[in-house]
Amino acid sequence: MKNSNPILQTAKETILLESGAIANLANLLDENFENAVNFILNSNGRVIVTGIGKSANIATKMVATFNSTGTPAIFMHAADAIHGDLGNVQENDVVICLSKSGNTPEIKVLVPLIRNYGNKIIAITGNVDSFLGKNSDFPLNTFVEKEACPNNLAPTSSTTAQLVMGDALAVCLQDLRGFTSKDFAKYHPGGALGKRLYLRVSDLIKNNQTPKVDVNDSVAKVIVEISEKRLGVTAVLENENLIGIITDGDIRRMLSKTTDINHVTAKDIMGKNPKTVQQDAMAIEALEKLENNSITQILVVDEQEKYAGVVHLHDLIKEGIF
């Protein structure tokens, strides 16, 4: 049944058309894709990605994906290449050339020059029988039946297909290189993503105070410690060993039952077997423990299980991890 809202109808048709084009890419994969991946993997050079127009825009994103997943790559605009930028291509580099038609004038000029240098060419094209397809070493077919554009003109489905083919190359290379989350963190040190991958609990607690009371301390001292250290919690120690935790919620619950606190000690109101996290653990692990236990603070211990500090949910929010 046709949607009564023409805007939503057009949007849905666009999404379904492009998703169908992408799904069909799986049927177009052949040994050229496998050979291209293996050639890049065993190459001693970089990946040079080039294109013109909208394909050039896709090429820049492809380069970013390669670089962030362990495959060194640079972008070279096809038009600029024939006016000096061809010097970017070094002896062992592999060139990926993007072009829907494979027959644009710039591509026809550029491809023979690259071949004269002896570099291998991977074509990502919607026409493997084009000039580019026939003059490449590894033609990868990104044919789409129709652009999402109502006039079948503006590059939409075709550029999406190029993008997905590039992602497929990058992910295969990442997998074959054994590229781990630790490797990924090296290339993403900034922002929330980087912090999730490299920030440790020890980084979070270094600017926090370390609230603690003795098991026999009075409730009055407990209240002062929680208030002064401003973390809403304190650890309870016995002979320097962590045995409990008291939160500001524990204090409120105690006061709702009695106002005579003269003989109440930390031991009487503490929670036993507190949740802890190792100080050398990743910050994301602390967040997971907070979420799984529906708590806002967690005590930190060192390698000998000695109390080392407190991580508060606000610490994680401040770092942009939550």
Side-chain angles (χ1 to χ4, degrees):
M1 182 176 179
K2 196 172 182 66
N3 196 307
S4 59
N5 187 320
I7 294 177
L8 292 181
Q9 180 64 27
T10 300
K12 289 179 180 180
E13 289 174 355
T14 300
I15 292 169
L16 290 173
L17 187 67
E18 292 203 12
S19 64
I22 298 310
N24 189 54
L25 285 182
N27 300 320
L28 301 180
L29 291 176
D30 57 19
E31 67 278 1
N32 283 311
F33 182 90
E34 181 180 3
N35 293 338
V37 169
N38 284 323
F39 190 85
I40 295 174
L41 183 67
N42 296 313
S43 171
N44 294 322
R46 306 158 302 171
V47 174
I48 311 296
V49 190
T50 188
I52 195 166
K54 302 301 185 295
S55 293
N57 296 332
I58 299 301
T60 59
K61 191 276 177 185
M62 199 177 295
V63 165
T65 302
F66 278 134
N67 282 324
S68 67
T69 53
T71 299
I74 64 171
F75 168 70
M76 178 179 69
H77 197 283
D80 293 336
I82 59 179
H83 293 284
D85 282 5
L86 196 57
N88 284 316
V89 182
Q90 302 300 305
E91 182 178 358
N92 295 315
D93 291 342
V94 183
V95 178
I96 297 178
C97 190
L98 281 68
S99 173
K100 177 187 176 181
S101 70
N103 289 313
T104 58
E106 294 83 1
I107 296 300
K108 286 186 174 181
V109 173
L110 178 60
V111 168
L113 295 174
I114 295 173
R115 292 187 66 83
N116 287 340
Y117 285 178
N119 299 89
K120 297 294 184 181
I121 299 176
I122 299 170
I124 296 181
T125 179
N127 182 8
V128 292
D129 293 323
S130 63
F131 180 86
L132 173 61
K134 290 181 176 179
N135 286 279
S136 64
D137 299 281
F138 311 103
L140 307 185
N141 194 350
T142 54
F143 171 77
V144 298
E145 289 190 7
K146 188 178 186 300
E147 298 287 6
C149 165
N151 298 315
N152 196 27
L153 294 173
T156 45
S157 301
S158 59
T159 48
T160 303
Q162 291 175 344
L163 183 64
V164 171
M165 187 64 76
D167 286 344
L169 287 170
V171 172
C172 287
L173 288 164
Q174 179 182 2
D175 183 58
L176 291 170
R177 294 185 197 279
F179 195 83
T180 66
S181 59
K182 289 184 179 180
D183 297 314
F184 197 79
K186 294 177 184 177
Y187 301 111
H188 298 79
L193 176 60
K195 289 180 179 180
R196 280 176 172 263
L197 294 169
Y198 77 81
L199 195 67
R200 296 188 180 274
V201 170
S202 56
D203 299 316
L204 295 173
I205 65 172
K206 61 185 179 183
N207 294 321
N208 286 347
Q209 299 193 67
T210 311
K212 59 183 178 180
V213 295
D214 185 78
V215 66
N216 295 313
D217 281 341
S218 68
V219 168
K221 185 170 182 179
V222 171
I223 294 173
V224 170
E225 185 71 0
I226 292 177
S227 299
E228 288 184 347
K229 300 302 170 61
R230 303 172 67 85
L231 289 168
V233 67
T234 183
V236 181
L237 307 182
E238 184 175 37
N239 298 322
E240 296 304 314
N241 294 315
L242 177 63
I243 64 167
I245 183 173
I246 300 175
T247 68
D248 50 10
D250 294 324
I251 298 295
R252 289 193 298 272
R253 283 185 287 274
M254 177 204 65
L255 292 175
S256 69
K257 296 176 181 178
T258 179
T259 56
D260 183 10
I261 63 172
N262 293 328
H263 303 292
V264 182
T265 65
K267 184 178 182 180
D268 298 322
I269 61 172
M270 72 179 186
K272 298 179 181 179
N273 302 314
K275 299 292 186 295
T276 61
V277 63
Q278 292 283 330
Q279 65 178 1
D280 62 348
M282 305 306 294
I284 189 65
E285 182 180 331
L287 175 59
E288 290 171 354
K289 288 192 173 186
L290 290 176
E291 291 180 329
N292 292 338
N293 293 283
S294 299
I295 54 179
T296 55
Q297 309 104 328
I298 189 167
L299 303 184
V300 180
V301 294
D302 62 17
E303 296 79 5
Q304 288 75 43
E305 296 297 315
K306 295 293 185 182
Y307 173 59
V310 176
V311 169
H312 196 287
L313 180 62
H314 291 163
D315 300 321
L316 296 158
I317 294 173
K318 182 180 178 181
E319 293 294 341
I321 293 177
F322 182 74

